Amino acid sequence: DGGITQSPKYLFRKEGQNVTLSCEQNLNHDAMYWYRQDPGQGLRLIYYSQIVNDFQKGDIAEGYSVSREKKESFPLTVTSAQKNPTAFYLCASSMIRTDYNEQFFGPGTRLTVL
Amino acid sequence: GQNIDQPTEMTATEGAIVQINCTYQTSGFNGLFWYQQHAGEAPTFLSYNVLDGLEEKGRFSSFLSRSKGYSYLLLKELQMKDSASYLCAVMDSNYQLIWGAGTKLIIKP
């Protein structure tokens, strides 16, 4: 089955530690995205990538880093510089088209920093 | 700036009809999406509108008026499983999705 996987589903970390969230897709999509979702708020874009070895900052990139070494994978690192990292993190992917760009989402990772 | 507005919460009765509105102001417009998100889960695609008018898909319909910067999602014959958040998202001139905060729909028996 084609889809997007994220792991783990729940993640706990101590304050000051870096943590990496995994995202893998086998949909052969060129574009991948990382969003953060906080209670009562919409999805906010952290980073996105449209091609291997290239990525762009979204609206809230500070305190996060990404890599795109393979088309299928787009891991997100939450660094100790992120002041309020506890949130629900969603990874998505899409084709790159100019007429229709439905994004497909992974199941999400809920990160809690203690 | 870019802005998408939706009601925060709505309540409806099982078997009834509910309309969830979305108004937007974005830099360019390349389509509007509606997604459904159950609590703690990923959003799933419901509909896409790029031309004015109504798109019907089973119990769900979505309407767009580009001149008014307005869309609505219409849910008919409501079922308890329709209790979820409904997210409106607009694709801007850079083909990036701008998301509303979502409308939490509560269905009562």
Side-chain angles (χ1 to χ4, degrees):
Chain A
D1 280 85
I4 304 177
T5 57
Q6 290 184 245
S7 61
K9 190 165 179 64
Y10 298 95
L11 189 57
F12 296 88
R13 279 294 182 270
K14 291 183 179 179
E15 195 171 339
Q17 289 183 332
N18 290 358
V19 60
T20 297
L21 282 58
S22 141
C23 178
E24 304 276 334
Q25 56 98 0
N26 61 2
L27 299 168
N28 199 32
H29 286 166
D30 287 307
M32 296 187 74
Y33 312 82
W34 273 106
Y35 291 97
R36 170 180 172 140
Q37 187 175 36
D38 293 285
Q41 296 194 35
L43 304 183
R44 293 187 290 168
L45 184 64
I46 305 173
Y47 269 99
Y48 66 99
S49 168
Q50 295 186 319
I51 194 169
V52 173
N53 291 324
D54 187 52
F55 44 83
Q56 308 296 327
K57 291 183 179 179
D59 300 321
I60 57 164
E62 185 176 350
Y64 299 97
S65 66
V66 294
S67 63
R68 187 89 185 273
E69 297 177 3
K70 299 185 300 181
K71 185 176 182 178
E72 301 80 18
S73 178
F74 192 41
L76 173 75
T77 297
V78 184
T79 75
S80 56
Q82 169 49 234
K83 295 179 181 176
N84 186 19
T86 294
F88 188 45
Y89 291 88
L90 286 160
C91 179
S93 71
S94 73
M95 294 187 292
I96 297 177
R97 294 167 51 168
T98 56
D99 59 342
Y100 180 76
N101 270 351
E102 178 189 344
Q103 292 186 9
F104 295 80
F105 287 85
T109 293
R110 187 167 298 279
L111 173 65
T112 302
V113 175
L114 305 172
Chain B
Q2 308 203 87
N3 193 51
I4 297 183
D5 286 318
Q6 307 177 233
T8 302
E9 187 174 296
M10 299 182 70
T11 303
T13 304
E14 189 177 16
I17 299 173
V18 70
Q19 177 175 311
I20 302 174
N21 296 326
C22 171
T23 58
Y24 63 88
Q25 290 179 309
T26 56
S27 55
F29 178 85
N30 284 300
L32 185 144
F33 292 80
W34 282 97
Y35 280 77
Q36 180 190 60
Q37 185 180 26
H38 285 99
E41 298 181 9
T44 55
F45 170 79
L46 287 177
S47 69
Y48 171 73
N49 295 71
V50 66
L51 299 176
D52 288 352
L54 188 68
E55 295 279 344
E56 296 186 80
K57 192 186 292 185
R59 293 189 299 114
F60 293 7
S61 303
S62 56
F63 171 83
L64 175 67
S65 169
R66 288 173 298 172
S67 63
K68 295 182 179 179
Y70 167 70
S71 172
Y72 68 72
L73 180 69
L74 191 70
L75 291 73
K76 303 177 184 176
E77 301 169 16
L78 286 169
Q79 302 175 9
M80 297 304 293
K81 67 178 182 179
D82 297 331
S83 291
S85 288
Y86 292 85
L87 310 178
C88 173
V90 172
M91 189 177 300
D92 69 8
S93 56
N94 295 319
Y95 298 97
Q96 295 300 320
L97 281 180
I98 312 300
W99 295 83
T103 299
K104 183 178 180 180
L105 178 63
I106 300 168
I107 309 296
K108 295 186 175 179

